[in-house]
Structure formats: C-alpha cells, structure tokens
Amino acid sequence: MALAGLAGLARAGRPARSGPARTGREPRRRRSGPGRWAGAALAGALIAGGLLTGAPQASAAGLGQVTGFGTNPGNLAMYSYVPTALPAGKPLVVALHGCTQTATDYYNNSGWAQLADRWGFAVVFPQTGSANNVLSCFSWFDSSKDTRGKGEALSVKQMVDKAVALYGSDPSRVYVTGLSAGAGMAADLLADYPDVFAGGSIASGLPAQCATTQSAASGCQNSNQNLTPAQWGDKVRASYPGYTGPWPRVAIWHGSSDSTVAPVNATELRDQWTNVWGIGQNASATQALPGNTTLSVYNDGAGRPAVQLYSISGMGHGLPVSPGSGTTNCGQSGAYFLNTICSSYYTGLFWGLDGATATASPSPSASPSSSPSSSPSPSPSPSASSSPSSSPSPSAPLGCWTDNNYNQVAAGRAHQSGGYAYANGSNQNMGLWNLFVTHTLKETSAGYFVVADSGCGA
C-alpha cells in the first residue's frame, strides 16, 4: 500500500494544484495551514509513512510553474528550473518526487538544481497531488496512467515537449529520475518512451511495470517476484512494441536497509535492464564510493556502461544526498533525503551531464567486491562470479566462496525461497536474496554448504 498511496481512494476532477495559474519561471509559493498536511497525518498510520518528507524548505525563488503544456490527461502540474542565460542545445532532466512530496521538496533537496547551475541544463519537476492520489503518489501501478500515450505518462511526455520548445533543450539528451513512487514512474517512463529518454535513474524504486493494479503493488514493494531477467525484460519490450533501440542507460540506487521498498527490487531492476540491453547479469567491474556505496557496472557490447547499480550499505528508504561545498556534494538532508552520497552527482556523471559522453567503467584494478581471495578462473556458468579460494584436499573444505546472496544462489551454492537465501545442504538462513547481503560459504562435503563468515579454516 505504501507506494500505491491508497490509490483506491484517489479522487479526480480538480487540478493537481489549486491557486492562480502561473507561467514561465515565476517562483511558486507554498501553501500553509493544517489542511496541507492532512495526508501526512493519515499516512503516519500506514506503511506509506515511510515515504513522507519533513525536510526543511529552502527558497523556491528559482522554481516556476509552466502551464499550457498539452492536454495533460494525467492532471499533473509542471514546474521547471532553468539556469540564467542557459543556451539552447543543453540537456533536460525530469525529476519526480515521492509520495506526499512536492516539486518544491525535490527542487530544494535533491541537488538537481545545484548541478543544473554547475553543468548547464534545465530541470522539469512534475507534480502530482491529492486530486490524483490521496497521498500524492505518482501512479506507477496503474496501467491506465503509467503506459505510453496514457495518463500521467503522457502528461510527462508533454512536459518534455514543452520544455524542449521553451528552452531549446537537446531532444537527444533528455533524462528522467525519481524517488520511491516517483522512481517507479521513472522506470515506467523509460519503458514507455525509450525514444524520448536517453537515460534514467531509479532511487529506492521498482522495476518497470512490476504492478499493473493497486492490489499487486504491495507484493512488488515487499517481496521477490521470482521472474527471470528475460521475463523482466519482456515487460519493457511490451511497453513499446516493435521498438528495438537504442535503449536508455539506467542507474539504480538502493539502500540495503530499505524496509519500505525491499532491496530485491534493485536486483530485479538490474536483471530487467541488463536483459533489455542484451548483456549478462555479472558486473563488468565494481568500485567503492563514499557513503558505504558499492558501484557495480554492466557494460554494453562496446564496453560503455549501460546499467549501473549503486548499493548503499545500511541506508534506509530515501534519496542519497551529500550536503556540502565539495565537488561531489549536493542536496540537502532531511526526511527521506539521506546523508550518504550525492546520487544526483554520480548519476549526472553517468549520463555525461558534465560534458563527457558517458562515464567510463572503473579500471580493472577496482575489482569486484565479491571476488574470492585467489584469482578467479573462467566459470561455465555465466551467473557464477566467483571461484573456490583453495583446492580440495582431504584436510580442507572442498571450497570456500565469498559473494552476495544473489550470486551464491546463481552459482548453485544456495537456494532462495520467499525472498530469502538458504545455504544448500545446511539450509542456514543467509538473509535477503539480493546483491547487498554478502556471506562466505564453505563446502564441507559435496553439495553441503555452511555459512563461514568468520573464515574458512580446515
């Protein structure tokens, strides 16, 4: 129910935001009063409370509402930020807020406005409201609103067209990003309009078209859907039948301690978009980044990053930000804007917003964190990324492997049930079946594995 935002109680028939119409880049004013936060009070008693924001609000003087952007079948409001004297031909980023948040919240806290000033691009901040959904969630779970040519998805596409016309943005460099429910919609938009969006970033979100009804939404949020990469990829391909590419380059951000959107969603997103790109699910390289973040890169056939997975150890549900004045800092911390790493900065590098064409893969010296202690040898299984650290001997374990739970299952050393991984033979519970939880498994006899996180002695 959290990201679905009680869609069954959604109301229609009035604009996404009340008040006089505004055009251009006129600063918007926030409403005040107890009625503004009635939805937040309701959500506090629900799982959806994990999506609320209480972050301090900065000045929104640079954020203006744009009207007349199309038929707007999704009943959304369009806000934009454009740096002073921005020349034509620059990129455009579309940034989608989470449940109960507003365009202003995302403008103030996400860091995208700061980076727009630094690198030179325009940002569109779509906004939904309680007229569409009682908790102001984007409808990532409703096929009448999140599919190509319909509802909110079409409204966002119309915003892109309007921004390209107003600001002269480069239509070949349009990107979409979002948090939570906004991330779910961002994933849907990438599938709906791969001919519009060159890249996407999904923070604490879900795979494209994971749910097509409200009743299915909670299952997507909370548990593994047990689909193969090909089945996930088919959901993208079915969103725009007949389209064969090029496909968007996708960044995935997720905390290992997210209890609102289970971290397995990041694994499923990785499976989905690597399959769409026609590449495997083994990382080309990994790299340690600030904020307890591990970056796993999946290269296309030309050796360029196509999918990047950022796993933040210990982070809960929210958008990773890193306030400060350094090059890699951006954003403001607050509720569900979590002080770990500036995700917007690293996403911008991935997309080439800093002027580069695309972020290069980490060098081979940045070896995968799941590598065993000895040099790996080729594996007959494309999904098994590690090899034994010692040769079998009568006095030693048959093998010892350190890897994340997803790869342990893929390599046949463990199995999964109900979203959890279990060591084969001993059936020890290894925790969530995902890319974030790592264990060492020791094979004590053929096909019998035990958790050996303290070491693999004889």
Side-chain angles (χ1 to χ4, degrees):
M1 294 289 284
L3 300 188
L6 301 181
L9 302 181
R11 292 163 291 156
R14 66 176 187 262
R17 179 186 183 276
S18 61
R22 299 170 183 263
T23 59
R25 295 177 53 232
E26 178 187 357
R28 69 182 293 273
R29 297 179 181 175
R30 280 184 63 78
R31 292 181 293 165
S32 60
R36 173 67 182 83
W37 299 109
L42 169 63
L46 304 169
I47 299 175
L51 300 175
L52 307 186
T53 177
Q57 299 303 314
S59 170
L63 186 68
Q65 186 172 6
V66 180
T67 57
F69 57 85
T71 58
N72 190 18
N75 194 36
L76 303 181
M78 175 181 177
Y79 294 86
S80 68
Y81 176 73
V82 184
T84 302
L86 181 71
K90 295 297 184 179
L92 173 67
V93 172
V94 178
L96 298 157
H97 63 77
C99 293
T100 79
Q101 295 178 337
T102 64
T104 301
D105 296 329
Y106 221 64
Y107 166 80
N108 285 339
N109 294 285
S110 67
W112 282 112
Q114 293 169 256
L115 295 171
D117 286 335
R118 184 191 307 178
W119 289 334
F121 57 87
V123 189
V124 167
F125 295 91
Q127 179 175 291
T128 187
S130 59
N132 293 336
N133 178 279
V134 70
L135 294 180
S136 300
C137 305
F138 286 102
S139 301
W140 59 271
F141 48 85
D142 187 337
S143 58
S144 70
K145 298 179 181 180
D146 67 352
T147 51
R148 186 179 176 95
K150 296 181 180 179
E152 295 173 15
L154 180 55
S155 289
V156 174
K157 166 62 166 58
Q158 291 175 343
M159 293 181 197
V160 170
D161 293 340
K162 182 71 171 182
V164 169
L166 282 177
Y167 315 129
S169 302
D170 183 349
S172 70
R173 290 191 290 167
V174 179
Y175 306 89
V176 63
T177 181
L179 163 64
S180 195
M185 180 59 77
D188 290 341
L189 287 164
L190 291 172
D192 296 340
Y193 295 103
D195 52 333
V196 173
F197 297 105
S201 180
I202 302 161
S204 301
L206 310 97
Q209 297 302 325
C210 183
T212 57
T213 63
Q214 182 196 354
S215 61
S218 294
C220 287
Q221 288 173 231
N222 298 321
S223 61
N224 167 37
Q225 299 301 292
N226 294 309
L227 299 182
T228 66
Q231 288 172 317
W232 281 120
D234 286 345
K235 290 181 179 291
V236 173
R237 289 180 284 269
S239 297
Y240 186 14
Y243 184 80
T244 58
W247 296 103
R249 298 182 183 272
V250 180
I252 303 157
W253 294 84
H254 219 110
S256 66
S257 298
D258 190 335
S259 59
T260 300
V261 178
V264 72
N265 282 277
T267 302
E268 293 169 336
L269 277 160
R270 187 278 312 268
D271 287 354
Q272 182 171 64
W273 289 100
T274 52
N275 179 263
V276 167
W277 272 87
I279 57 182
Q281 285 73 55
N282 287 330
S284 304
T286 64
Q287 183 178 16
L289 295 176
N292 295 317
T293 303
T294 299
L295 164 63
S296 300
V297 181
Y298 303 83
N299 288 341
D300 63 15
R304 296 178 61 208
V307 177
Q308 293 193 335
L309 172 60
Y310 298 81
S311 308
I312 304 98
S313 178
M315 192 186 83
H317 187 70
L319 181 74
V321 297
S322 179
S325 57
T327 301
T328 62
N329 296 117
C330 76
Q332 298 295 325
S333 60
Y336 309 102
F337 293 95
L338 307 179
N339 188 356
T340 49
I341 182 174
C342 177
S343 57
S344 301
Y345 170 79
Y346 287 95
T347 295
L349 293 182
F350 174 45
W351 291 340
L353 296 181
D354 62 332
T357 55
T359 300
S361 297
S363 64
S365 61
S367 56
S369 59
S370 60
S371 294
S373 57
S374 61
S375 299
S377 58
S379 169
S381 171
S383 59
S385 62
S386 58
S387 59
S389 59
S390 61
S391 300
S393 70
S395 60
L398 300 180
C400 200
W401 295 263
T402 300
D403 213 333
N404 63 65
N405 283 353
Y406 184 91
N407 284 340
Q408 297 281 26
V409 170
R413 297 182 286 269
H415 59 280
Q416 71 86 18
S417 177
Y420 288 85
Y422 299 86
N424 285 347
S426 69
N427 285 320
Q428 289 176 285
N429 190 327
M430 299 161 58
L432 289 172
W433 179 55
N434 59 31
L435 293 167
F436 308 115
V437 180
T438 297
H439 286 293
T440 297
L441 290 183
K442 178 171 67 175
E443 189 176 18
T444 58
S445 60
Y448 193 96
F449 297 86
V450 297
V451 175
D453 291 339
S454 59
C456 274

